Coordinates of all heavy atoms in Angstrom, one line a residue:
M1 N 4.6 -31.2 -5.0 CA 4.1 -30.7 -6.2 C 4.3 -31.6 -7.3 O 5.3 -32.3 -7.4 CB 4.8 -29.4 -6.5 CG 4.4 -28.7 -7.8 SD 5.2 -27.0 -8.0 CE 4.6 -26.6 -9.6
A2 N 3.3 -31.8 -8.3 CA 3.5 -32.8 -9.4 C 4.6 -32.4 -10.3 O 4.7 -31.2 -10.6 CB 2.1 -32.8 -10.1
L3 N 5.3 -33.4 -10.7 CA 6.4 -33.1 -11.7 C 5.9 -33.1 -13.1 O 5.1 -34.0 -13.4 CB 7.5 -34.2 -11.5 CG 8.3 -34.2 -10.2 CD1 9.3 -35.3 -10.1 CD2 9.0 -32.8 -9.9
V4 N 6.4 -32.2 -13.9 CA 5.8 -32.1 -15.3 C 7.0 -32.5 -16.3 O 8.1 -31.9 -16.2 CB 5.4 -30.6 -15.6 CG1 4.9 -30.6 -17.0 CG2 4.3 -30.2 -14.6
N20 N 1.0 -20.6 -15.5 CA 0.1 -21.7 -15.0 C 0.4 -23.1 -15.6 O -0.4 -24.0 -15.5 CB -1.4 -21.4 -15.2 CG -1.8 -20.2 -14.4 OD1 -1.3 -20.0 -13.2 ND2 -2.6 -19.3 -14.9
G21 N 1.5 -23.2 -16.3 CA 1.8 -24.5 -16.9 C 2.8 -24.5 -18.1 O 3.6 -23.6 -18.2
Q31 N -0.4 -28.2 -20.4 CA -0.3 -28.9 -19.1 C -0.5 -27.9 -18.1 O 0.4 -27.0 -18.0 CB 1.1 -29.6 -19.0 CG 1.2 -30.8 -20.0 CD 2.4 -31.7 -19.6 OE1 2.9 -31.7 -18.5 NE2 2.7 -32.6 -20.5
L32 N -1.5 -28.0 -17.3 CA -1.9 -26.9 -16.4 C -1.6 -27.3 -15.0 O -1.7 -28.5 -14.6 CB -3.4 -26.7 -16.5 CG -4.0 -26.3 -17.8 CD1 -5.5 -26.4 -17.8 CD2 -3.5 -24.9 -18.2
F33 N -1.2 -26.3 -14.1 CA -1.1 -26.5 -12.7 C -2.3 -25.9 -12.0 O -2.6 -24.7 -12.1 CB 0.1 -25.7 -12.2 CG 1.5 -26.2 -12.7 CD1 2.6 -25.3 -12.8 CD2 1.6 -27.5 -13.1 CE1 3.8 -25.8 -13.2 CE2 2.8 -28.0 -13.6 CZ 3.9 -27.1 -13.6
I34 N -3.1 -26.8 -11.4 CA -4.3 -26.4 -10.7 C -4.2 -26.9 -9.3 O -3.9 -28.1 -9.1 CB -5.6 -27.0 -11.4 CG1 -5.7 -26.4 -12.8 CG2 -6.8 -26.6 -10.6 CD1 -6.8 -26.9 -13.6
A35 N -4.4 -26.1 -8.3 CA -4.3 -26.4 -6.9 C -5.6 -27.1 -6.4 O -6.7 -26.7 -6.7 CB -4.0 -25.2 -6.1
D36 N -5.4 -28.2 -5.7 CA -6.6 -28.8 -5.0 C -6.9 -28.0 -3.8 O -6.1 -27.3 -3.2 CB -6.1 -30.2 -4.5 CG -5.8 -31.2 -5.6 OD1 -6.6 -31.2 -6.6 OD2 -4.8 -31.9 -5.5
Q37 N -8.2 -27.9 -3.6 CA -8.7 -27.1 -2.5 C -9.3 -27.9 -1.3 O -9.9 -27.4 -0.4 CB -9.9 -26.1 -3.0 CG -9.4 -25.2 -4.1 CD -8.6 -24.0 -3.6 OE1 -8.4 -23.9 -2.4 NE2 -8.1 -23.2 -4.5
D38 N -9.1 -29.2 -1.4 CA -9.8 -30.1 -0.4 C -8.9 -30.5 0.7 O -9.3 -31.3 1.5 CB -10.4 -31.3 -1.1 CG -9.4 -32.0 -1.9 OD1 -8.2 -31.6 -2.0 OD2 -9.7 -33.1 -2.5
E39 N -7.6 -30.1 0.8 CA -6.7 -30.5 1.8 C -6.5 -29.3 2.8 O -6.4 -28.2 2.4 CB -5.4 -30.9 1.2 CG -5.4 -32.1 0.3 CD -4.1 -32.5 -0.2 OE1 -3.1 -32.0 0.4 OE2 -4.0 -33.3 -1.1
K54 N 3.2 -24.4 0.8 CA 2.2 -25.5 0.9 C 1.2 -25.4 -0.2 O 0.7 -26.4 -0.7 CB 1.5 -25.4 2.3 CG 2.4 -25.8 3.5 CD 2.6 -27.2 3.5 CE 3.4 -27.7 4.7 NZ 3.7 -29.1 4.7
I55 N 0.8 -24.1 -0.5 CA -0.2 -24.0 -1.6 C 0.4 -24.5 -2.9 O -0.3 -25.2 -3.7 CB -0.6 -22.5 -1.8 CG1 -1.4 -22.0 -0.6 CG2 -1.4 -22.3 -3.1 CD1 -1.9 -20.6 -0.7
K56 N 1.7 -24.2 -3.2 CA 2.3 -24.7 -4.4 C 2.4 -26.3 -4.4 O 2.2 -26.9 -5.4 CB 3.7 -24.2 -4.6 CG 3.8 -22.7 -4.8 CD 5.2 -22.2 -5.0 CE 5.3 -20.7 -5.3 NZ 6.7 -20.3 -5.4
E57 N 2.6 -26.9 -3.3 CA 2.7 -28.3 -3.2 C 1.4 -29.0 -3.4 O 1.3 -30.2 -3.7 CB 3.3 -28.7 -1.8 CG 4.7 -28.3 -1.6 CD 5.2 -28.5 -0.2 OE1 4.4 -29.0 0.7 OE2 6.4 -28.4 0.1
K58 N 0.3 -28.3 -3.2 CA -1.0 -28.9 -3.4 C -1.5 -28.9 -4.9 O -2.5 -29.4 -5.2 CB -2.1 -28.0 -2.7 CG -2.1 -28.2 -1.2 CD -2.8 -27.1 -0.4 CE -4.2 -27.0 -0.8 NZ -5.1 -28.2 -0.5
Q59 N -0.6 -28.4 -5.8 CA -1.0 -28.3 -7.2 C -0.9 -29.7 -7.9 O 0.0 -30.5 -7.6 CB -0.1 -27.3 -7.9 CG -0.4 -25.9 -7.5 CD 0.5 -24.9 -8.2 OE1 1.6 -25.2 -8.5 NE2 -0.1 -23.7 -8.5
R60 N -1.8 -30.0 -8.7 CA -1.8 -31.1 -9.6 C -1.7 -30.7 -11.1 O -1.9 -29.6 -11.4 CB -3.2 -31.9 -9.5 CG -3.3 -32.7 -8.2 CD -4.5 -33.6 -8.3 NE -5.7 -32.9 -8.3 CZ -6.9 -33.4 -8.8 NH1 -6.9 -34.6 -9.3 NH2 -8.0 -32.7 -8.7
T61 N -1.2 -31.7 -11.9 CA -1.1 -31.3 -13.3 C -2.2 -31.9 -14.1 O -2.6 -33.1 -13.9 CB 0.3 -31.9 -13.8 OG1 1.3 -31.4 -13.1 CG2 0.4 -31.6 -15.3
F62 N -2.8 -31.1 -14.9 CA -3.9 -31.6 -15.8 C -3.5 -31.4 -17.2 O -2.8 -30.4 -17.6 CB -5.2 -30.8 -15.6 CG -5.9 -31.1 -14.3 CD1 -5.5 -30.4 -13.1 CD2 -6.9 -32.0 -14.2 CE1 -6.1 -30.7 -11.9 CE2 -7.5 -32.3 -13.0 CZ -7.1 -31.6 -11.9
I63 N -3.8 -32.3 -18.1 CA -3.5 -32.2 -19.5 C -4.7 -31.7 -20.3 O -5.8 -32.3 -20.1 CB -3.1 -33.6 -20.1 CG1 -2.0 -34.2 -19.2 CG2 -2.7 -33.5 -21.5 CD1 -0.7 -33.3 -19.1
A128 N -6.7 -22.7 -15.4 CA -6.1 -22.5 -14.0 C -6.9 -21.5 -13.2 O -7.1 -21.6 -12.0 CB -4.6 -22.3 -14.1
A131 N -10.4 -22.6 -12.2 CA -10.5 -23.5 -11.1 C -10.7 -22.8 -9.8 O -11.1 -23.5 -8.8 CB -9.2 -24.3 -11.0
Q156 N -11.8 -35.4 -18.9 CA -11.6 -35.6 -17.5 C -11.1 -34.4 -16.8 O -11.4 -34.1 -15.7 CB -10.6 -36.8 -17.3 CG -11.1 -38.2 -17.8 CD -10.0 -39.2 -17.7 OE1 -8.9 -38.9 -17.5 NE2 -10.5 -40.5 -17.9
T157 N -10.3 -33.6 -17.5 CA -9.8 -32.3 -17.0 C -10.9 -31.4 -16.7 O -11.1 -30.8 -15.6 CB -8.8 -31.7 -17.9 OG1 -7.6 -32.5 -18.0 CG2 -8.4 -30.3 -17.4
E159 N -14.1 -32.2 -16.4 CA -15.0 -32.7 -15.3 C -14.4 -32.4 -13.9 O -15.1 -32.2 -13.0 CB -15.2 -34.2 -15.5 CG -16.1 -34.5 -16.8 CD -16.1 -36.0 -17.1 OE1 -15.3 -36.7 -16.5 OE2 -17.0 -36.4 -17.9
A160 N -13.1 -32.5 -13.8 CA -12.4 -32.1 -12.5 C -12.6 -30.6 -12.3 O -12.8 -30.3 -11.1 CB -10.9 -32.5 -12.6
L161 N -12.5 -29.8 -13.3 CA -12.7 -28.4 -13.1 C -14.1 -28.1 -12.6 O -14.4 -27.2 -11.8 CB -12.5 -27.7 -14.4 CG -11.0 -27.4 -14.8 CD1 -10.9 -26.9 -16.2 CD2 -10.3 -26.5 -13.9
E162 N -15.1 -28.9 -13.2 CA -16.5 -28.7 -12.8 C -16.7 -29.0 -11.3 O -17.4 -28.2 -10.6 CB -17.4 -29.6 -13.6 CG -18.9 -29.5 -13.3 CD -19.7 -30.5 -14.1 OE1 -19.1 -31.3 -14.8 OE2 -20.9 -30.5 -13.9
E163 N -16.0 -30.1 -10.8 CA -16.1 -30.4 -9.4 C -15.5 -29.3 -8.5 O -16.0 -29.0 -7.5 CB -15.5 -31.7 -9.2 CG -16.2 -32.9 -9.8 CD -15.4 -34.2 -9.5 OE1 -14.5 -34.2 -8.7 OE2 -15.9 -35.3 -10.1
L164 N -14.4 -28.8 -9.0 CA -13.7 -27.7 -8.2 C -14.6 -26.5 -8.1 O -14.7 -25.9 -7.0 CB -12.3 -27.4 -8.9 CG -11.2 -28.4 -8.7 CD1 -10.0 -28.0 -9.5 CD2 -10.8 -28.4 -7.2
L235 N -4.8 -18.5 -4.0 CA -4.9 -18.5 -5.5 C -6.1 -17.8 -6.1 O -6.1 -17.4 -7.2 CB -4.9 -20.0 -6.0 CG -3.6 -20.8 -5.6 CD1 -3.7 -22.2 -6.1 CD2 -2.4 -20.1 -6.3

Side-chain angles (χ1 to χ4, degrees):
M1 180 176 177
L3 295 178
V4 179
N20 296 322
Q31 292 194 13
L32 301 168
F33 294 153
I34 298 177
D36 294 316
Q37 300 284 357
D38 55 354
E39 297 180 14
K54 288 290 184 181
I55 291 180
K56 291 181 180 179
E57 291 173 356
K58 286 163 58 68
Q59 292 180 325
R60 285 190 292 160
T61 300
F62 289 85
I63 308 301
Q156 291 173 352
T157 294
E159 288 173 347
L161 283 172
E162 180 185 4
E163 292 181 6
L164 285 172
L235 296 177

